[in-house]
Amino acid sequence: MSARLITELGFGLISVAAIVLGIASHLFPKRVPTLTSVLAVVMRRRTTRIAFVVAWWWVGWHFFVQN
Amino acid sequence: MALGFPERRVGRLPVDLPVLALIIAALAHWIRGARADALIFLGVVLLLMLAESWGYGDNDLLTEPAARIPGIALVVVVALLVLTFGRNTVPMMLTVSLIGLLALFIELREPSLPAKPDLPVPHGAWLWSAIGLSWCLWELISFIFEQAAGGLSLTHPTMSDLIDPLLSNRIVQALAIAGWLAAGVAMLRASAIARRS
């Protein structure tokens, strides 16, 4: 198994885990919170909000403007 | 993701963990040669520190209705724009810049909420934190290998290296920007609801 494949599998595994968790949060809301409910708690602080907004915005900038 | 749980101290400390994370991100951009990105991140850090130090954003704002964040219409318009012009064009640069500036303005304007030690963190929140941290760590490892390889690693590609080739088609670009924008709108709305609840 090549290093590249391991790297790709790692990203794939994390993405699948996020999708599964997203589905589980809607199927079993008492056991798994939705991402937005977690964000709502985390983002009570301005610095955290700004950090998240900048990280999100940069993804758009990177893929749709910068290349 | 667990950096800013509100049971921790909420005060006027100008530098906390999220600010530190932004500074580290700026350094990473500088190292990979993206000077403009590094300067943008450092600019935001500066703005944020000024806002925290000067107490910009009164708690009175919390009694006002939250800024209305457009949803589906905005997503559709931006997707159509990228479908028409394609990415890496001046219209897209202006559009993405404007979206970022508006989001930043909305969030900078709003103060931190008062600390509530009794506010429960949702049960199972650690699962989302684990996924977020795993992604950051995996990306960091790939980034380090990539830098060691001189900027492009065939053996340890970063997420950008993997996604970028998929965005050569404009329809995929439109779908991707719609997903990106929808995620951002959902995040801003979650934040606005939390502030007013």
Side-chain angles (χ1 to χ4, degrees), chain A residues 44-65:
Chain A
R44 287 173 61 88
R45 295 196 64 180
R46 175 161 48 192
T47 50
T48 315
R49 285 201 309 264
I50 298 294
F52 273 93
V53 166
V54 173
W56 160 76
W57 173 78
W58 179 80
V59 171
W61 175 261
H62 183 63
F63 285 114
F64 298 104
V65 177

Side-chain angles (χ1 to χ4, degrees), chain A residues 3-4 6-12 58 62-63 67, chain B residues 28-29 32 135-149 151-166:
Chain A
R4 184 184 177 93
I6 292 171
T7 307
E8 289 172 350
L9 281 176
F11 280 123
W58 179 80
H62 183 63
F63 285 114
N67 283 313
Chain B
H29 287 311
R32 75 182 183 88
W135 188 86
C136 288
L137 267 178
W138 202 245
E139 179 75 2
L140 181 66
I141 291 167
S142 303
F143 175 74
I144 290 169
F145 271 103
E146 192 170 70
Q147 293 308 307
L152 180 65
S153 171
L154 295 175
T155 54
H156 295 82
T158 58
M159 194 67 140
S160 304
D161 300 330
L162 295 174
I163 289 180
D164 213 45
L166 304 175

Side-chain angles (χ1 to χ4, degrees), chain B residues 26 45 82-83 85 98 111 118 121 177:
Chain B
V45 166
V82 82
L83 205 58
F85 297 104
L98 190 66
D118 56 332
V121 174
I177 206 164

Side-chain angles (χ1 to χ4, degrees), chain A:
Chain A
M1 191 180 279
S2 68
R4 184 184 177 93
L5 187 60
I6 292 171
T7 307
E8 289 172 350
L9 281 176
F11 280 123
L13 195 67
I14 294 166
S15 304
V16 169
I19 292 167
V20 168
L21 204 57
I23 294 169
S25 68
H26 285 94
L27 293 178
F28 314 106
K30 287 186 179 173
R31 285 187 175 182
V32 182
T34 58
L35 179 58
T36 46
S37 69
V38 177
L39 282 177
V41 175
V42 172
M43 292 174 83
R44 287 173 61 88
R45 295 196 64 180
R46 175 161 48 192
T47 50
T48 315
R49 285 201 309 264
I50 298 294
F52 273 93
V53 166
V54 173
W56 160 76
W57 173 78
W58 179 80
V59 171
W61 175 261
H62 183 63
F63 285 114
F64 298 104
V65 177
Q66 201 182 40
N67 283 313

